[in-house]
Amino acid sequence: QVQLVESGGGLVQAGGSLRLSCAASGRTFSRYIMGWFRQAPGKEREFVAGISRSGGSTDYADSVKGRFTISRDNAKNTVYLQMNSLKPEDTAVYYCAAGYKLSIVVSNRNEYDYWGQGTQVTVSS
């Protein structure tokens, strides 16, 4: 089992940047596919980005391609989401998720086993 704790959210103006971090407990972090999801008020939780166990493969939602970058440091048990050129529509609670049974990055939230508590990102216009 793994516990996930997100940090780095906050209030930023449109066009600005934020870097989210997700720290994982346990010694098996490198065995998990990791993903970032977000949920805006009144909307379903949606896939943002995902990264393979080694970090060599990534995937992004079309809405964030070219603006967001996911990375991981297995020595630090941490996954990151660098968010640039932020837009008001990026406003949401951002969650990191870990998938133990997964072999590749998937966008289906039901395939992930563990979730963090979320961190709020608010982008003002």
Side-chain angles (χ1 to χ4, degrees):
Q1 190 168 348
V2 65
Q3 292 183 326
L4 306 172
V5 179
E6 302 98 333
S7 61
L11 174 64
V12 64
Q13 289 188 332
S17 298
L18 281 175
R19 188 194 196 201
L20 304 183
S21 299
C22 174
S25 65
R27 295 178 290 180
T28 59
F29 177 73
S30 62
R31 297 181 186 177
Y32 292 85
I33 298 288
M34 298 300 297
W36 284 98
F37 290 75
R38 67 186 182 187
Q39 188 167 17
K43 295 188 176 182
E44 292 193 352
R45 193 170 299 188
E46 65 175 2
F47 175 78
V48 175
I51 190 165
S52 63
R53 296 186 182 102
S54 67
S57 178
T58 58
D59 192 22
Y60 297 91
D62 288 342
S63 59
V64 307
K65 278 181 182 176
R67 300 188 298 122
F68 291 11
T69 302
I70 188 172
S71 62
R72 67 189 296 165
D73 185 337
N74 286 342
K76 295 182 178 180
N77 283 12
T78 303
V79 62
Y80 305 97
L81 186 67
Q82 178 66 44
M83 306 186 294
N84 299 328
S85 302
L86 283 161
K87 305 175 181 180
E89 51 264 43
D90 294 317
T91 295
V93 177
Y94 283 71
Y95 299 88
C96 72
Y100 184 74
K101 300 182 292 293
L102 296 172
S103 57
I104 59 172
V105 174
V106 299
S107 59
N108 185 345
R109 64 181 185 271
N110 296 320
E111 299 289 341
Y112 289 81
D113 304 294
Y114 304 105
W115 293 82
Q117 83 288 349
T119 185
Q120 176 71 47
V121 172
T122 303
V123 184
S124 63
S125 57

